[in-house]
Amino acid sequence: MRTKVNYQFTRSISARVIAEYDSTLANPLNTSLLRTREVATQALLTWLPHPGTAVYLGYNDDLQNLNRSLCNRLPNGTCDPNNTTFPRAGPLLNDGRQIFVKASYLFRF
């Protein structure tokens, strides 16, 4: 599921927010897929003072149900070095967050 909201404050200032939810609810009796959940959000504030010039302020966030130990456990409790699938757990873990600023200016010669 994905939702996108745009809002224009003035002629030169606008905002955009995107929220995404992705889930795999697999039945272990029918498939080997793991149950996964992911929630991602993005926010962007844009200022266009005049044509050719832009300033962007943004934020990205990603939450997944990854296991906090980040390894698949063997029956004896040690990490399995041969299993390359991402371990999954119940609570969501923040696996990526970023704040950025971007500016561009048009030079005319």
Side-chain angles (χ1 to χ4, degrees):
M1 178 172 67
R2 180 177 186 196
T3 301
K4 180 178 174 183
V5 177
N6 292 319
Y7 187 76
Q8 190 82 30
F9 295 102
T10 65
R11 190 174 182 104
S12 63
I13 300 175
S14 64
R16 179 189 75 194
V17 176
I18 299 173
E20 297 180 71
Y21 177 76
D22 185 17
S23 177
T24 302
L25 299 174
N27 184 346
L29 300 175
N30 298 328
T31 183
S32 62
L33 292 175
L34 297 174
R35 288 182 165 222
T36 63
R37 287 184 300 148
E38 179 180 5
V39 178
T41 56
Q42 301 172 11
L44 182 68
L45 183 65
T46 305
W47 176 44
L48 302 168
H50 53 79
T53 300
V55 178
Y56 302 99
L57 176 63
Y59 172 79
N60 295 330
D61 190 19
D62 187 45
L63 301 170
Q64 291 192 32
N65 67 329
L66 295 173
N67 190 344
R68 295 184 187 280
S69 66
L70 295 180
C71 73
N72 291 300
R73 300 286 176 179
L74 294 172
N76 63 4
T78 62
C79 287
D80 183 2
N82 299 323
N83 192 341
T84 57
T85 60
F86 290 113
R88 299 294 174 169
L92 295 174
L93 174 68
N94 186 348
D95 70 336
R97 180 179 293 158
Q98 179 180 20
I99 297 174
F100 64 91
V101 175
K102 179 183 175 184
S104 66
Y105 183 80
L106 176 63
F107 292 102
R108 296 179 191 236
F109 297 103

